[in-house]
Amino acid sequence: MIYKVSYVVRDGTAPGSIKNEPERPTVGDTVRIGKFDCQVIDVYDIMPPRDDFQYLHAVVEPVVAAQQA
């Protein structure tokens, strides 16, 4: 299965991204978006899986912000 993930940075300090991932992201994972390392804080299904694709929305925050919280 390929996961098509829409990443959105919660505080808007960095642009988001759409990426194909080999594994489903989970809360606490770290993902690289551009030049930023971000921590996944929430994951939602956008729609049911279709063929070998699952469509997800992930809310992330820069790792620095996550460590200060």
Side-chain angles (χ1 to χ4, degrees):
M1 172 119 8
I2 295 173
Y3 299 92
K4 291 194 169 280
V5 185
S6 167
Y7 290 102
V8 175
V9 180
R10 181 163 85 175
D11 62 6
T13 57
S17 179
I18 297 174
K19 298 173 101 179
N20 291 337
E21 301 285 9
E23 295 181 15
R24 182 186 176 101
T26 59
V27 173
D29 286 352
T30 300
V31 62
R32 184 90 171 161
I33 298 177
K35 62 180 182 176
F36 300 96
D37 287 326
C38 296
Q39 184 175 18
V40 177
I41 57 173
D42 214 346
V43 179
Y44 303 92
D45 290 335
I46 294 176
M47 57 191 279
R50 187 177 285 177
D51 298 325
D52 284 337
F53 295 96
Q54 185 164 5
Y55 301 89
L56 304 172
H57 175 78
V59 179
V60 299
E61 62 184 6
V63 171
V64 174
Q67 290 172 349
Q68 292 175 352

